[in-house]
Structure formats: structure tokens, C-alpha cells
Amino acid sequence: MKNTTLLRLTGAGLLLLAGGLAYADPCKLALESNDQMQFSVHELVVPNECGEVEVTLRHSGKMSARAMGHDWVLAKDSDVSAIVNAGLAAGPAHGYLPEHDKRIIAATPIVGGGESATVKFATSLLQAGSRYVFFCTSPGHATVMRGKFLLGVTHVAQAGNSN
Ligand SMILES: [Cu+2]
């Protein structure tokens, strides 16, 4: 009797997972963005065991990519301003991203309302002790659309001195 109930619960859980985001794999992350120029999270944490990370950015809003497009870009904290400026120079034709820029660890294309994009990258690109930030390169967005990207335990964030 008890076993049957458990099995049913497990089945329902699997169905929910299959229909929703892939929470089962900690190396696959998902976040949302919206018409209010926001990411749904300010911090993403990936376990050390992940050799490869997959990030999916969804735009849950209704506005077009031209009016309120967002991308998800990962880089060292210290490289963010330079990348944002280079992105502005690259312009909308290049999705506000400089081409072949080695400072960019990972980047999705820009998405508009109702769209989503996924990017995969190897965690071997991340150096221990460096601080990483994810942000959006649409003009003016990076000041508010940014968050911490942490590999492993959260106190990695405090490893560097305050900046
Ligand atoms: Cu944005």
C-alpha cells in the first residue's frame, strides 16, 4: 500500500520535471528575464563536479528583442565594463557582443519576449579565485541586469577582497 503511493508520487514528480525545467541536473541552469529589464535571479551556483554547464535564458515578457532584448553573458567581474562597451560598439547587428572576444566565457544570443536561448560551456574556462559575473549587454541593461556566477561553494565569492 505504502509502496504504491510512493510510486505514484514519484511518477507525478517525473512528469512535472519532464514538463518543466530540468532541475534534476544541477549542471543545467535556467533563468528568466522580462519586460522590466530584470533577471529572475541575482546569483547562479554550479557544483564543482560540473564539467560542462548549460544555461538557458528565457524572456517571459512580450516586448520585442529590439525594444527589450536580453542576452546572458558570462565573464570575469573585472572584464564586464570593457565587454559592455565593446558590445555597444558592435551594435545591434552583432547582438551587442564583440566578436571573438576572449574575455567572454559564454554568451547567448539576444532574445525577445517569448523566446529562449541556451549556451553551454566548459567549467575548465573558469579560474579558481576569480570572480565571475553574468550580465546583459543590451544598451544600459548591465547596470541592473547582472548577478554573481559561482562555481562550487558560495564563499568563493568572498575569496577576493572587497571591490
Ligand atoms: Cu537586458
Side-chain angles (χ1 to χ4, degrees):
M1 185 77 180
K2 237 183 171 179
N3 280 340
T4 319
T5 313
L6 264 178
L7 277 174
R8 276 190 189 153
L9 280 174
T10 311
L14 284 174
L15 275 176
L16 279 174
L17 280 174
L21 304 173
Y23 288 118
D25 186 342
C27 303
K28 291 183 179 176
L29 308 174
L31 74 163
E32 307 250 335
S33 55
N34 61 24
D35 287 343
Q36 285 76 47
M37 210 195 283
Q38 294 165 328
F39 281 131
S40 56
V41 296
H42 295 125
E43 190 173 284
L44 290 170
V45 182
V46 178
N48 270 320
E49 300 77 52
C50 297
E52 188 179 67
V53 175
E54 186 181 302
V55 175
T56 298
L57 172 68
R58 290 168 192 240
H59 193 315
S60 56
K62 291 195 164 65
M63 293 171 75
S64 70
R66 231 182 118 185
M68 185 50 76
H70 304 302
D71 59 5
W72 185 93
V73 181
L74 179 66
K76 270 187 192 169
D77 196 3
S78 52
D79 288 335
V80 174
S81 321
I83 293 169
V84 167
N85 287 334
L88 277 176
H94 295 98
Y96 296 109
L97 273 181
E99 282 184 295
H100 312 299
D101 191 320
K102 289 210 166 77
R103 296 170 296 191
I104 296 172
I105 295 159
T108 68
I110 287 193
V111 292
E115 298 172 341
S116 68
T118 299
V119 65
K120 284 184 193 176
F121 59 95
T123 53
S124 57
L125 298 170
L126 305 175
Q127 297 159 359
S130 289
R131 295 199 296 169
Y132 294 94
V133 170
F134 64 86
F135 55 100
C136 172
T137 59
S138 276
H141 290 206
T143 48
V144 284
M145 293 189 76
R146 67 162 73 200
K148 287 180 194 165
F149 185 91
L150 306 168
L151 182 66
V153 285
T154 48
H155 63 245
V156 168
Q158 277 104 47
N161 48 28
S162 60
N163 179 9

